[in-house]
Amino acid sequence: MDLRTFVLFCGLLFLGPMLLAQKGTGKSYRIDRYSSIYLPLGKISFADSIVSFTMGDPPPLEKYADPQQSLHEPNYKNYHSAKFLSLGCKGSITLAFTDNGFMNLPGNDLYIFEVGPSKESAKIEISVDGNEWLYAGTIAGGKSIIDLSDENIETETVFYYLRITDLQDLCKSKSAGADIDAVGAINSVIKLSINADVLFDVAEFKLKPSAQQTLDTLTQLIKQVDKATIVVEGHTDSDGTDASNMTLSENRCYSVVDQLRALLGFEALYDYEIRAMGESQPKADNDTPENKQRNRRVEITVLPPKDYYDALPQGD
């Protein structure tokens, strides 16, 4: 085997699993001359809107102070293009993910596209509702990866808000403060919840004829990604026995999955998981008709595809 063939073989050995995972919506984004970051759900994985922005002091030059430059896919070209936001010294920005959320799942969870000639540090916080915040880590010295497991963030919660606060490393440059081009969720998810009464008659698991329109709408949201794992959870109220509620929620899951398969296409690149929860995870006490209605629901979570996780190094 000559040197060129050997190098090619080693490259395929290293990249093969990731290349497999990249079939479909997933996309790689360059982070420097030599490396890139892969987001399994592609372009929907980025922060979409600005909740608040507090410019630091001293501020950067005005051309570097547009908070809109921190949204959506990265578009940084060079330091002079001003296609990024500089926070200013101790500045802070709060961003929202509107067509997706993110979770603590295997591997790294977030990537902050911090750009420019200097790599300033910043504190990262996350929130479900934009009110209560959890510390998620610090980016520093070019380290822009966040693994939520490092801070023992729970694994069942979907987060929709992220806050970045500059830590005052470099306060006198033209682009003072951390320079943010984009914020991407590596472990991006789409979470959908449907009142079970919209889909089913009481104590039944056969879909109502009127459920078709609701599921049609949901499949249009799911089709934002063409390769994923779709988890369907069934939940009931506390009426009836534990066993009957578990059976009912399981049968309802199968009914929803069957319809999703038909709408999305049987040859589509989706895997399906069913989780029958019965009455075990209520959203409210089962003490009023209104609360019971809240608890009767079907939840659909669209996750990165299984082969992405299969390709991760062991231990991630």
Side-chain angles (χ1 to χ4, degrees), residues 270-315:
Y270 300 112
D271 293 312
Y272 295 86
E273 292 184 10
I274 284 175
R275 298 177 185 174
M277 310 306 292
E279 61 187 81
S280 65
Q281 293 186 2
K283 282 192 168 184
D285 292 334
N286 284 286
D287 54 0
T288 66
E290 293 76 18
N291 282 349
K292 288 181 179 181
Q293 186 179 54
R294 287 184 63 197
N295 293 332
R296 297 190 298 269
R297 66 197 190 277
V298 174
E299 295 184 348
I300 299 172
T301 307
V302 182
L303 302 170
K306 291 180 179 179
D307 60 5
Y308 166 74
Y309 294 110
D310 291 341
L312 291 176
Q314 286 190 347

Short mmCIF file of all heavy atoms in Angstrom, two decimals, residues 270-315:
data_model
loop_
_atom_site.label_atom_id
_atom_site.label_comp_id
_atom_site.label_asym_id
_atom_site.label_seq_id
_atom_site.Cartn_x
_atom_site.Cartn_y
_atom_site.Cartn_z
N TYR A 270 -36.92 8.05 8.73
CA TYR A 270 -37.27 8.28 10.13
C TYR A 270 -37.33 6.95 10.87
O TYR A 270 -37.84 5.96 10.35
CB TYR A 270 -38.64 8.96 10.25
CG TYR A 270 -38.74 10.31 9.56
CD1 TYR A 270 -39.55 10.46 8.44
CD2 TYR A 270 -38.04 11.41 10.03
CE1 TYR A 270 -39.66 11.69 7.80
CE2 TYR A 270 -38.14 12.64 9.39
CZ TYR A 270 -38.94 12.78 8.28
OH TYR A 270 -39.04 13.99 7.65
N ASP A 271 -36.78 6.96 12.08
CA ASP A 271 -36.99 5.85 13.01
C ASP A 271 -38.04 6.27 14.02
O ASP A 271 -38.17 7.46 14.34
CB ASP A 271 -35.69 5.49 13.74
CG ASP A 271 -34.64 4.94 12.81
OD1 ASP A 271 -34.96 4.04 12.01
OD2 ASP A 271 -33.48 5.40 12.87
N TYR A 272 -38.80 5.31 14.54
CA TYR A 272 -39.88 5.62 15.47
C TYR A 272 -39.67 4.86 16.79
O TYR A 272 -39.26 3.71 16.80
CB TYR A 272 -41.23 5.23 14.88
CG TYR A 272 -41.61 6.04 13.65
CD1 TYR A 272 -41.18 5.66 12.38
CD2 TYR A 272 -42.38 7.19 13.78
CE1 TYR A 272 -41.52 6.40 11.26
CE2 TYR A 272 -42.72 7.94 12.65
CZ TYR A 272 -42.29 7.54 11.40
OH TYR A 272 -42.62 8.27 10.29
N GLU A 273 -39.95 5.57 17.88
CA GLU A 273 -39.95 4.95 19.20
C GLU A 273 -41.28 5.26 19.88
O GLU A 273 -41.80 6.38 19.75
CB GLU A 273 -38.81 5.49 20.06
CG GLU A 273 -37.42 5.09 19.60
CD GLU A 273 -36.33 5.58 20.53
OE1 GLU A 273 -36.69 6.06 21.65
OE2 GLU A 273 -35.16 5.51 20.17
N ILE A 274 -41.80 4.28 20.60
CA ILE A 274 -43.06 4.44 21.32
C ILE A 274 -42.79 4.37 22.82
O ILE A 274 -42.07 3.47 23.28
CB ILE A 274 -44.07 3.36 20.89
CG1 ILE A 274 -44.63 3.69 19.52
CG2 ILE A 274 -45.19 3.20 21.91
CD1 ILE A 274 -45.53 2.62 18.95
N ARG A 275 -43.36 5.32 23.55
CA ARG A 275 -43.22 5.33 25.00
C ARG A 275 -44.61 5.51 25.62
O ARG A 275 -45.18 6.60 25.59
CB ARG A 275 -42.28 6.45 25.46
CG ARG A 275 -40.86 6.30 24.94
CD ARG A 275 -39.99 7.46 25.36
NE ARG A 275 -38.66 7.37 24.76
CZ ARG A 275 -37.72 8.32 24.86
NH1 ARG A 275 -37.98 9.43 25.55
NH2 ARG A 275 -36.54 8.16 24.27
N ALA A 276 -45.13 4.44 26.16
CA ALA A 276 -46.43 4.49 26.84
C ALA A 276 -46.20 4.93 28.28
O ALA A 276 -45.54 4.24 29.05
CB ALA A 276 -47.10 3.12 26.78
N MET A 277 -46.74 6.08 28.66
CA MET A 277 -46.50 6.63 29.99
C MET A 277 -47.70 6.49 30.91
O MET A 277 -47.57 6.68 32.12
CB MET A 277 -46.13 8.12 29.87
CG MET A 277 -45.03 8.42 28.84
SD MET A 277 -43.52 7.47 29.10
CE MET A 277 -42.94 8.17 30.62
N GLY A 278 -48.89 6.18 30.35
CA GLY A 278 -50.07 6.07 31.19
C GLY A 278 -50.31 7.36 31.96
O GLY A 278 -50.21 8.46 31.43
N GLU A 279 -50.59 7.22 33.26
CA GLU A 279 -50.87 8.38 34.10
C GLU A 279 -49.65 8.80 34.92
O GLU A 279 -49.75 9.61 35.84
CB GLU A 279 -52.02 8.07 35.06
CG GLU A 279 -51.72 6.89 35.99
CD GLU A 279 -52.93 6.49 36.82
OE1 GLU A 279 -53.79 5.76 36.28
OE2 GLU A 279 -53.00 6.90 37.99
N SER A 280 -48.46 8.29 34.58
CA SER A 280 -47.28 8.44 35.44
C SER A 280 -46.64 9.82 35.40
O SER A 280 -45.88 10.18 36.30
CB SER A 280 -46.22 7.39 35.06
OG SER A 280 -45.72 7.61 33.75
N GLN A 281 -46.93 10.62 34.38
CA GLN A 281 -46.28 11.93 34.26
C GLN A 281 -47.32 13.02 34.01
O GLN A 281 -47.35 13.64 32.94
CB GLN A 281 -45.24 11.92 33.14
CG GLN A 281 -44.05 11.02 33.43
CD GLN A 281 -42.96 11.14 32.38
OE1 GLN A 281 -43.04 11.91 31.43
NE2 GLN A 281 -41.92 10.34 32.54
N PRO A 282 -48.16 13.31 34.98
CA PRO A 282 -49.17 14.35 34.80
C PRO A 282 -48.54 15.74 34.73
O PRO A 282 -47.52 16.00 35.37
CB PRO A 282 -50.06 14.20 36.04
CG PRO A 282 -49.13 13.63 37.08
CD PRO A 282 -48.22 12.70 36.33
N LYS A 283 -49.17 16.63 33.99
CA LYS A 283 -48.76 18.03 33.97
C LYS A 283 -49.41 18.81 35.11
O LYS A 283 -48.95 19.88 35.49
CB LYS A 283 -49.12 18.68 32.64
CG LYS A 283 -48.18 18.33 31.50
CD LYS A 283 -48.44 19.23 30.30
CE LYS A 283 -47.34 19.10 29.27
NZ LYS A 283 -47.52 20.04 28.14
N ALA A 284 -50.50 18.29 35.62
CA ALA A 284 -51.24 18.95 36.69
C ALA A 284 -51.91 17.88 37.54
O ALA A 284 -52.03 16.72 37.13
CB ALA A 284 -52.27 19.91 36.11
N ASP A 285 -52.36 18.26 38.73
CA ASP A 285 -53.10 17.33 39.57
C ASP A 285 -54.40 16.93 38.87
O ASP A 285 -55.06 17.77 38.23
CB ASP A 285 -53.44 17.98 40.92
CG ASP A 285 -52.21 18.21 41.77
OD1 ASP A 285 -51.22 17.48 41.59
OD2 ASP A 285 -52.24 19.14 42.61
N ASN A 286 -54.76 15.67 38.99
CA ASN A 286 -55.97 15.18 38.35
C ASN A 286 -57.20 15.47 39.22
O ASN A 286 -57.97 14.57 39.55
CB ASN A 286 -55.84 13.67 38.09
CG ASN A 286 -54.94 13.35 36.93
OD1 ASN A 286 -55.31 13.55 35.77
ND2 ASN A 286 -53.74 12.87 37.23
N ASP A 287 -57.39 16.74 39.56
CA ASP A 287 -58.45 17.08 40.51
C ASP A 287 -59.58 17.91 39.89
O ASP A 287 -60.56 18.21 40.57
CB ASP A 287 -57.86 17.82 41.71
CG ASP A 287 -57.03 19.03 41.31
OD1 ASP A 287 -56.91 19.30 40.10
OD2 ASP A 287 -56.48 19.71 42.21
N THR A 288 -59.45 18.27 38.63
CA THR A 288 -60.51 19.00 37.94
C THR A 288 -60.61 18.49 36.51
O THR A 288 -59.64 17.94 35.97
CB THR A 288 -60.23 20.52 37.90
OG1 THR A 288 -59.08 20.76 37.08
CG2 THR A 288 -60.00 21.09 39.30
N PRO A 289 -61.76 18.67 35.87
CA PRO A 289 -61.87 18.26 34.46
C PRO A 289 -60.84 18.96 33.57
O PRO A 289 -60.31 18.36 32.63
CB PRO A 289 -63.30 18.66 34.09
CG PRO A 289 -64.04 18.64 35.37
CD PRO A 289 -63.07 19.11 36.42
N GLU A 290 -60.56 20.22 33.88
CA GLU A 290 -59.59 20.96 33.06
C GLU A 290 -58.19 20.38 33.21
O GLU A 290 -57.46 20.23 32.21
CB GLU A 290 -59.59 22.44 33.47
CG GLU A 290 -60.86 23.20 33.16
CD GLU A 290 -62.00 22.89 34.12
OE1 GLU A 290 -61.74 22.36 35.23
OE2 GLU A 290 -63.16 23.19 33.78
N ASN A 291 -57.80 20.05 34.43
CA ASN A 291 -56.48 19.45 34.65
C ASN A 291 -56.38 18.07 34.02
O ASN A 291 -55.33 17.71 33.45
CB ASN A 291 -56.17 19.37 36.14
CG ASN A 291 -55.75 20.71 36.72
OD1 ASN A 291 -55.49 21.66 35.98
ND2 ASN A 291 -55.68 20.79 38.04
N LYS A 292 -57.44 17.31 34.11
CA LYS A 292 -57.42 15.99 33.48
C LYS A 292 -57.26 16.11 31.98
O LYS A 292 -56.55 15.31 31.35
CB LYS A 292 -58.71 15.22 33.83
CG LYS A 292 -58.77 14.75 35.28
CD LYS A 292 -60.05 13.97 35.54
CE LYS A 292 -60.09 13.49 36.99
NZ LYS A 292 -61.31 12.70 37.26
N GLN A 293 -57.89 17.11 31.40
CA GLN A 293 -57.74 17.32 29.95
C GLN A 293 -56.29 17.67 29.60
O GLN A 293 -55.77 17.21 28.59
CB GLN A 293 -58.67 18.43 29.49
CG GLN A 293 -58.68 18.61 27.97
CD GLN A 293 -59.64 19.69 27.53
OE1 GLN A 293 -59.57 20.82 28.00
NE2 GLN A 293 -60.56 19.33 26.64
N ARG A 294 -55.63 18.46 30.44
CA ARG A 294 -54.22 18.79 30.21
C ARG A 294 -53.35 17.53 30.24
O ARG A 294 -52.38 17.40 29.49
CB ARG A 294 -53.71 19.77 31.27
CG ARG A 294 -54.21 21.18 31.14
CD ARG A 294 -53.54 22.06 32.18
NE ARG A 294 -52.10 22.12 31.98
CZ ARG A 294 -51.23 22.54 32.90
NH1 ARG A 294 -51.66 22.89 34.10
NH2 ARG A 294 -49.94 22.57 32.64
N ASN A 295 -53.70 16.61 31.12
CA ASN A 295 -52.88 15.41 31.28
C ASN A 295 -53.08 14.40 30.16
O ASN A 295 -52.18 13.60 29.88
CB ASN A 295 -53.18 14.76 32.63
CG ASN A 295 -52.72 15.62 33.80
OD1 ASN A 295 -51.77 16.40 33.66
ND2 ASN A 295 -53.39 15.49 34.94
N ARG A 296 -54.24 14.44 29.51
CA ARG A 296 -54.48 13.55 28.38
C ARG A 296 -53.82 14.16 27.14
O ARG A 296 -54.36 15.13 26.57
CB ARG A 296 -55.99 13.36 28.14
CG ARG A 296 -56.72 12.69 29.28
CD ARG A 296 -58.14 12.31 28.88
NE ARG A 296 -58.96 13.46 28.54
CZ ARG A 296 -59.73 14.13 29.41
NH1 ARG A 296 -59.76 13.76 30.69
NH2 ARG A 296 -60.47 15.16 29.00
N ARG A 297 -52.71 13.61 26.73
CA ARG A 297 -51.95 14.23 25.64
C ARG A 297 -51.07 13.22 24.94
O ARG A 297 -50.76 12.15 25.48
CB ARG A 297 -51.09 15.38 26.18
CG ARG A 297 -49.97 14.92 27.12
CD ARG A 297 -49.40 16.06 27.94
NE ARG A 297 -48.18 15.66 28.66
CZ ARG A 297 -48.18 15.04 29.83
NH1 ARG A 297 -49.31 14.71 30.43
NH2 ARG A 297 -47.03 14.71 30.41
N VAL A 298 -50.66 13.60 23.74
CA VAL A 298 -49.65 12.85 22.99
C VAL A 298 -48.50 13.82 22.73
O VAL A 298 -48.72 14.94 22.23
CB VAL A 298 -50.21 12.31 21.66
CG1 VAL A 298 -49.09 11.68 20.83
CG2 VAL A 298 -51.31 11.30 21.92
N GLU A 299 -47.30 13.43 23.07
CA GLU A 299 -46.12 14.27 22.86
C GLU A 299 -45.21 13.62 21.83
O GLU A 299 -44.92 12.42 21.90
CB GLU A 299 -45.37 14.50 24.17
CG GLU A 299 -46.18 15.31 25.18
CD GLU A 299 -45.41 15.62 26.44
OE1 GLU A 299 -44.33 15.03 26.65
OE2 GLU A 299 -45.89 16.47 27.23
N ILE A 300 -44.79 14.42 20.86
CA ILE A 300 -43.91 13.94 19.79
C ILE A 300 -42.60 14.72 19.87
O ILE A 300 -42.61 15.95 19.86
CB ILE A 300 -44.57 14.14 18.41
CG1 ILE A 300 -45.87 13.35 18.32
CG2 ILE A 300 -43.61 13.74 17.29
CD1 ILE A 300 -46.69 13.64 17.08
N THR A 301 -41.49 14.01 19.96
CA THR A 301 -40.18 14.64 20.01
C THR A 301 -39.36 14.15 18.82
O THR A 301 -39.20 12.94 18.63
CB THR A 301 -39.43 14.32 21.31
OG1 THR A 301 -40.27 14.63 22.43
CG2 THR A 301 -38.16 15.15 21.42
N VAL A 302 -38.88 15.08 18.03
CA VAL A 302 -38.04 14.76 16.87
C VAL A 302 -36.58 14.97 17.30
O VAL A 302 -36.18 16.09 17.62
CB VAL A 302 -38.38 15.65 15.67
CG1 VAL A 302 -37.53 15.28 14.46
CG2 VAL A 302 -39.87 15.54 15.34
N LEU A 303 -35.81 13.89 17.29
CA LEU A 303 -34.43 13.89 17.76
C LEU A 303 -33.46 13.65 16.61
O LEU A 303 -33.85 13.15 15.55
CB LEU A 303 -34.24 12.77 18.80
CG LEU A 303 -35.11 12.80 20.05
CD1 LEU A 303 -34.95 11.49 20.81
CD2 LEU A 303 -34.75 13.97 20.93
N PRO A 304 -32.18 13.98 16.80
CA PRO A 304 -31.19 13.58 15.79
C PRO A 304 -31.26 12.09 15.52
O PRO A 304 -31.64 11.30 16.40
CB PRO A 304 -29.85 13.99 16.44
CG PRO A 304 -30.21 15.14 17.32
CD PRO A 304 -31.57 14.79 17.88
N PRO A 305 -30.88 11.65 14.32
CA PRO A 305 -31.02 10.24 13.95
C PRO A 305 -30.09 9.33 14.75
O PRO A 305 -29.05 9.76 15.26
CB PRO A 305 -30.66 10.23 12.47
CG PRO A 305 -29.82 11.44 12.26
CD PRO A 305 -30.34 12.46 13.22
N LYS A 306 -30.46 8.07 14.84
CA LYS A 306 -29.70 7.11 15.64
C LYS A 306 -28.27 6.94 15.14
O LYS A 306 -27.34 6.76 15.93
CB LYS A 306 -30.41 5.76 15.63
CG LYS A 306 -31.72 5.74 16.41
CD LYS A 306 -32.37 4.37 16.37
CE LYS A 306 -33.67 4.35 17.16
NZ LYS A 306 -34.33 3.01 17.11
N ASP A 307 -28.07 6.98 13.81
CA ASP A 307 -26.72 6.72 13.33
C ASP A 307 -25.76 7.87 13.67
O ASP A 307 -24.55 7.67 13.67
CB ASP A 307 -26.70 6.38 11.83
CG ASP A 307 -27.25 7.47 10.94
OD1 ASP A 307 -27.57 8.56 11.46
OD2 ASP A 307 -27.37 7.23 9.73
N TYR A 308 -26.29 9.07 13.96
CA TYR A 308 -25.42 10.13 14.47
C TYR A 308 -24.83 9.72 15.81
O TYR A 308 -23.61 9.85 16.05
CB TYR A 308 -26.19 11.44 14.61
CG TYR A 308 -25.43 12.46 15.43
CD1 TYR A 308 -24.32 13.12 14.90
CD2 TYR A 308 -25.80 12.75 16.74
CE1 TYR A 308 -23.60 14.03 15.65
CE2 TYR A 308 -25.09 13.67 17.49
CZ TYR A 308 -24.00 14.30 16.95
OH TYR A 308 -23.28 15.20 17.72
N TYR A 309 -25.66 9.20 16.69
CA TYR A 309 -25.17 8.78 18.01
C TYR A 309 -24.30 7.53 17.92
O TYR A 309 -23.34 7.38 18.67
CB TYR A 309 -26.35 8.58 18.96
CG TYR A 309 -27.07 9.87 19.25
CD1 TYR A 309 -28.35 10.10 18.75
CD2 TYR A 309 -26.46 10.89 19.97
CE1 TYR A 309 -29.01 11.30 18.98
CE2 TYR A 309 -27.11 12.09 20.21
CZ TYR A 309 -28.38 12.29 19.71
OH TYR A 309 -29.02 13.48 19.94
N ASP A 310 -24.63 6.64 16.98
CA ASP A 310 -23.80 5.46 16.79
C ASP A 310 -22.38 5.84 16.36
O ASP A 310 -21.42 5.12 16.63
CB ASP A 310 -24.41 4.55 15.71
CG ASP A 310 -25.70 3.90 16.18
OD1 ASP A 310 -25.94 3.85 17.40
OD2 ASP A 310 -26.48 3.45 15.31
N ALA A 311 -22.24 6.99 15.66
CA ALA A 311 -20.94 7.42 15.14
C ALA A 311 -20.11 8.16 16.17
O ALA A 311 -18.92 8.41 15.94
CB ALA A 311 -21.14 8.31 13.91
N LEU A 312 -20.71 8.53 17.33
CA LEU A 312 -19.95 9.25 18.34
C LEU A 312 -18.90 8.34 18.96
O LEU A 312 -19.12 7.13 19.11
CB LEU A 312 -20.88 9.75 19.44
CG LEU A 312 -21.87 10.87 19.08
CD1 LEU A 312 -22.77 11.15 20.27
CD2 LEU A 312 -21.13 12.12 18.64
N PRO A 313 -17.75 8.89 19.35
CA PRO A 313 -16.74 8.09 20.06
C PRO A 313 -17.34 7.50 21.33
O PRO A 313 -18.19 8.12 21.97
CB PRO A 313 -15.64 9.10 20.40
CG PRO A 313 -15.81 10.19 19.39
CD PRO A 313 -17.29 10.27 19.12
N GLN A 314 -16.95 6.30 21.67
CA GLN A 314 -17.47 5.67 22.88
C GLN A 314 -17.13 6.52 24.08
O GLN A 314 -16.04 7.06 24.20
CB GLN A 314 -16.87 4.26 23.04
CG GLN A 314 -17.44 3.25 22.08
CD GLN A 314 -17.02 1.83 22.43
OE1 GLN A 314 -16.12 1.63 23.23
NE2 GLN A 314 -17.69 0.88 21.83
N GLY A 315 -18.11 6.63 24.98
CA GLY A 315 -17.92 7.44 26.18
C GLY A 315 -18.52 8.81 26.06
O GLY A 315 -18.69 9.51 27.06
#
